[in-house]
Amino acid sequence: MCGIVGFVGKKEASPILVEGLSKLEYRGYDSAGVAVLKDELIEVIKCKGRLKNLEDKLSEEPIKGSIGIGHTRWATHGEPSDVNSHPHSNKNESISVVHNGIIENYLNIKEWLISKGYEFLSETDTEVIPNLIDYYYNGDLLDAVMRAVSDMEGSYALGVICTKEPDKIVAVRKDSPLIVGVGKEEYFIASDIPAVLNHTREVYLLEDKEFVVLTKTGVEIFDEHKEKVSKDIYHVTWNADAAEKGGYEDFMLKEIHEQPKAIRDTMASRITKGNPISLDKIKLTKEDLENFNRIYIVACGTAYHAGVVGKNIIENLARIPVEVDIASEFRYRNPILDNKTLVMVISQSGETADTLAVLRESKKKGCRVIAITNVVGSSVSREADDVIYTWAGPEIAVASTKAYVTQLVAMYIIALYFAEIKETISKKEIEDIKEELLSLPEKAEKTLEKKEMLQKFAAQNYMHRDMFFLGRGLDYAVSMEGSLKLKEISYIHSEAYAGGELKHGPIALIEKGTVVVSTITQMDLKDKMLSNIKEVVTRGAKILAVTFEGNNDVEKSVDSVIYIPKTLDILSPILSVIPLQLISYYMAKQKGCDVDKPRNLAKSVTVE
Ligand code: F6R
């Protein structure tokens, strides 16, 4: 939610800020702005709409100066508009702030500041921050920022500049991500690493309530008591190219095509023929596992859908009861948590506010928490007891694709690891599943070859207003993900239903021409699924089936079939989701939608 950047060095700040923001647009794209400091004056340029609008404005009225901050917004408080865009400033424009997060008690602070004579222009929560800093400013910007944040409740990553201390940026984070880039006589702040990668690979990963002062000559980090903190530099090993489109039309298409590699990378060294599963540094004994009477998998959105698959396979392979829940529900339903509960949180970004809150609450209650995340150094990775990284590489498109398949791979690795320890299935069965898993990158490549058929299907059906996804068991879990993908990027209303559930109400929605995508990879449920398909065909539905090669009899019951390579039923989600992702992608393209930046969304939901 929102991306912030900051630069201090010898070069012109505004092109560097804009370039950094272009790497963060995935975090929000309702408006953008920069503030640059020169000759003890702050100049702010900001406007509603995509970053392009800001670039156009800056080319008309360039701003000079080698210290500045920038912001790309996902609106929470106040509609997207010029006035609500960041940076926000105090009345005499001596202090400017960019903010990612939400100040929950901003109304109280605002009222109080108004009583002290302060005035406000925007509807945002953020505008209280420069004013509060102004109120506390007494010749020391760091001090004033520290005092201001101690009044603030909620989440924030802040970048602050001040005309009275024109050589520095002060920054701080709490519950919103922030990194510091360390270059040669130039320093950066950013919400995410790709924003600084063209300039440096050396970064500091800040902890909550750490304050940073950046000047041309260096970076100082302080804790909330103003004690200096010494931190290790994190060296980024992945390439800046990983965050570029690499010849693809959109990041989403690129990321869909990166899935074979992402699956392979996530398995690498953890799954090898003839060796026990290696779960990085995690050590769980048979006793530990027997002590757990329940596992909770908690996540949001696509990551939650990976958890639904995880529940099914962990219960099947390791025979441990698993509950899976949406983080925003779980945290408020007073779940039964104690030291006999293992909690697994899944989060691509590792920064999702609700997921992070579940992690913290679970730890407080004595649970062991394993985080599955794609972002090294993210909040969940730092706060969980154990971490399993999904090696998908940076995922830029807002709609998650490669992160999802790698989350599935992580679920298989964990399920097999538990099964191995608990000896719930034979060594031979484990070896067979491992062998098949190792063949999936190649089978994913083959699945991608079906894209022309899916493109054709999309061209014929993109004008529909509703679509349904049907499946049973693991196919239902994948259908949920297919349906989410379709609605979020193509804005076509869609629902996923369990095949057997349809006749308990939703079948009333089926009429002549309704499009239904049915996934059929669970062979013990195939006949039942075909009966469910008959039920909707009888009511006029048009069916596209996704099934394994060899299931030719399916053709008799449906209008068209996409065949995916045969694998074990239990592993099918890794392959069957690919056609569903491509259907969404091509439907959205046909409709002319911006697939990488769907309306109203942001990649990383760092607010409740
Ligand atoms: C959908 C999507 C979202 C995320 C959700 C959780 O394509 O990307 O539903 O899965 O916002 O995000 P993370 O995994 O970063 O916690």
Side-chain angles (χ1 to χ4, degrees):
M1 306 269 100
C2 304
I4 70 168
V5 290
F7 170 78
V8 49
K10 291 181 174 162
K11 300 176 188 146
E12 285 300 329
S14 79
I16 294 175
L17 296 172
V18 169
E19 186 234 338
L21 290 178
S22 73
K23 303 292 187 307
L24 297 180
E25 247 196 316
Y26 73 85
R27 302 179 65 86
Y29 30 83
D30 292 335
S31 59
V34 293
V36 174
L37 210 162
K38 194 176 179 213
D39 301 334
E40 295 178 31
L41 263 183
I42 293 175
E43 236 188 296
V44 177
I45 303 271
K46 56 184 188 175
C47 55
K48 181 183 161 180
R50 295 283 165 91
L51 188 58
K52 178 80 184 61
N53 298 357
L54 176 68
E55 286 179 78
D56 292 347
K57 247 183 153 175
L58 281 167
S59 65
E60 283 160 25
E61 19 176 341
I63 46 177
K64 297 265 170 217
S66 55
I67 174 164
I69 50 180
H71 188 270
T72 178
R73 177 167 188 245
W74 187 82
T76 57
H77 292 61
E79 58 166 8
S81 67
D82 289 356
V83 71
N84 288 334
S85 312
H86 298 216
H88 287 282
S89 308
N90 59 338
K91 194 174 176 193
N92 67 9
E93 296 183 344
S94 60
I95 297 167
S96 262
V97 170
V98 286
H99 168 217
N100 165 209
I102 289 186
I103 306 307
E104 286 161 2
N105 60 340
Y106 82 103
L107 282 175
N108 291 344
I109 299 177
K110 194 168 176 174
E111 249 171 57
W112 180 76
L113 284 167
I114 289 170
S115 76
K116 304 269 172 221
Y118 283 85
E119 287 167 24
F120 290 86
L121 304 173
S122 78
E123 303 153 82
T124 65
D125 52 335
T126 302
E127 201 182 358
V128 299
I129 305 171
N131 288 295
L132 198 55
I133 296 172
D134 175 280
Y135 177 80
Y136 284 123
Y137 189 78
N138 197 7
D140 183 340
L141 183 61
L142 175 61
D143 234 44
V145 172
M146 284 182 151
R147 294 187 68 178
V149 301
S150 70
D151 287 351
M152 285 162 24
E153 285 160 22
S155 56
Y156 45 83
L158 302 179
V160 185
I161 51 174
C162 173
T163 53
K164 292 176 190 141
E165 298 180 39
D167 60 334
K168 65 178 70 149
I169 298 176
V170 173
V172 57
R173 67 158 282 183
K174 181 186 159 271
D175 296 340
S176 291
L178 192 64
I179 61 110
V180 176
V182 179
K184 287 202 179 80
E185 299 186 328
E186 53 184 26
Y187 301 90
F188 309 80
I189 53 164
S191 300
D192 198 0
I193 293 171
V196 303
L197 267 192
N198 279 341
H199 307 278
T200 179
R201 295 172 160 277
E202 312 292 314
V203 300
Y204 289 119
L205 305 170
L206 294 183
E207 302 286 340
D208 273 354
K209 298 271 185 82
E210 282 182 343
F211 294 78
V212 206
V213 178
L214 303 96
T215 62
K216 272 189 198 90
T217 52
V219 173
E220 287 182 305
I221 305 174
F222 301 89
D223 68 12
E224 58 189 310
H225 310 294
K226 223 176 170 185
E227 295 293 327
K228 275 212 182 155
V229 175
S230 101
K231 279 183 106 60
D232 291 335
I233 288 260
Y234 169 69
H235 180 75
V236 182
T237 48
W238 43 272
N239 210 303
D241 296 352
E244 302 293 340
K245 284 187 199 157
Y248 286 92
E249 223 173 300
D250 313 273
F251 279 111
M252 183 179 178
L253 192 61
K254 174 183 175 240
E255 289 162 6
I256 289 174
H257 282 84
E258 283 172 343
Q259 291 183 113
K261 177 176 183 316
I263 298 167
R264 194 175 291 119
D265 290 351
T266 303
M267 288 192 295
S269 80
R270 293 161 169 166
I271 300 184
T272 45
K273 272 191 206 162
N275 299 310
I277 301 281
S278 148
L279 211 52
D280 306 342
K281 291 187 193 123
I282 303 179
K283 288 270 168 295
L284 282 162
T285 60
K286 195 168 182 173
E287 251 172 31
D288 289 334
L289 286 183
E290 276 163 4
N291 173 52
F292 297 132
N293 52 24
R294 177 180 337 167
I295 297 175
Y296 281 117
I297 304 180
V298 191
C300 302
T302 287
Y304 163 75
H305 293 155
V308 177
V309 173
K311 169 186 164 66
N312 183 311
I313 57 181
I314 294 172
E315 287 189 341
N316 263 299
L317 299 178
R319 310 307 295 161
I320 307 174
V322 182
E323 269 193 55
V324 55
D325 208 347
I326 296 164
S328 55
E329 288 294 310
F330 185 81
R331 62 185 287 198
Y332 294 114
R333 76 171 163 89
N334 194 14
I336 302 163
L337 297 171
D338 55 28
N339 62 1
K340 291 192 176 307
T341 324
L342 174 64
V343 174
M344 297 204 260
V345 293
I346 309 177
S347 175
Q348 186 286 129
S349 62
E351 301 293 346
T352 299
D354 286 314
T355 309
L356 193 55
V358 168
L359 181 159
R360 287 177 179 159
E361 185 60 21
S362 307
K363 282 197 71 177
K364 226 189 265 167
K365 298 254 168 76
C367 313
R368 180 152 175 183
V369 181
I370 300 181
I372 293 111
T373 182
N374 195 38
V375 178
V376 176
S378 57
S379 298
V380 303
S381 77
R382 282 179 288 168
E383 296 190 30
D385 296 298
D386 307 287
V387 189
I388 299 173
Y389 285 110
T390 51
W391 296 115
E395 192 180 62
I396 308 293
V398 166
S400 183
T401 53
K402 62 176 180 169
Y404 171 75
V405 293
T406 58
Q407 287 160 355
L408 295 183
V409 172
M411 290 290 111
Y412 289 107
I413 294 171
I414 292 168
L416 284 174
Y417 179 77
F418 291 172
E420 210 168 58
I421 296 174
K422 285 191 70 197
E423 298 173 343
T424 40
I425 55 174
S426 70
K427 285 204 166 69
K428 157 98 180 59
E429 280 171 293
I430 291 182
E431 277 309 310
D432 288 349
I433 298 175
K434 277 164 58 182
E435 194 173 334
E436 190 53 31
L437 268 168
L438 291 168
S439 74
L440 288 185
E442 206 175 303
K443 291 184 178 175
E445 299 275 7
K446 292 225 165 76
T447 309
L448 285 166
E449 285 166 15
K450 308 284 169 173
K451 65 181 172 206
E452 263 91 49
M453 285 182 71
L454 294 160
Q455 203 165 1
K456 207 167 127 203
F457 173 81
Q460 289 161 350
N461 292 291
Y462 73 95
M463 71 299 281
H464 286 275
R465 288 187 44 208
D466 302 290
M467 258 177 73
F468 292 87
F469 288 80
L470 275 193
R472 283 176 168 256
L474 286 171
D475 290 333
Y476 172 46
V478 171
S479 297
M480 290 162 83
E481 175 57 11
S483 173
L484 172 62
K485 272 316 72 107
L486 185 73
K487 60 187 125 190
E488 70 177 323
I489 61 164
S490 74
Y491 318 138
I492 297 172
H493 165 251
S494 82
E495 302 283 349
Y497 285 107
E501 183 62 14
L502 205 69
K503 52 182 142 328
H504 298 286
I507 202 164
L509 294 168
I510 304 290
E511 52 190 37
K512 195 165 174 351
T514 305
V515 179
V516 176
V517 176
S518 174
T519 306
I520 316 170
T521 67
Q522 304 301 294
M523 289 304 104
D524 52 340
L525 296 169
K526 182 174 143 215
D527 291 340
K528 299 210 181 304
M529 195 62 228
L530 289 176
S531 303
N532 297 141
I533 287 175
K534 266 241 145 58
E535 291 158 9
V536 288
V537 167
T538 311
R539 281 145 184 101
K542 259 177 31 187
I543 314 284
L544 169 75
V546 175
T547 192
F548 288 140
E549 281 163 0
N551 283 344
N552 296 9
D553 56 328
V554 168
E555 283 177 27
K556 285 188 245 143
S557 310
V558 303
D559 297 274
S560 44
V561 183
I562 296 291
Y563 289 107
I564 59 172
K566 178 84 185 112
T567 183
L568 298 174
D569 292 8
I570 198 167
L571 301 182
S572 67
I574 293 183
L575 300 182
S576 61
V577 75
I578 296 173
L580 308 192
Q581 296 166 339
L582 286 166
I583 288 173
S584 307
Y585 174 82
Y586 287 120
M587 291 275 200
K589 288 302 274 188
Q590 282 287 343
K591 290 186 67 180
C593 303
D594 182 344
V595 292
D596 283 342
K597 299 190 190 93
R599 69 184 179 205
N600 305 339
L601 298 181
K603 179 86 185 148
S604 173
V605 184
T606 54
V607 294
E608 241 193 86

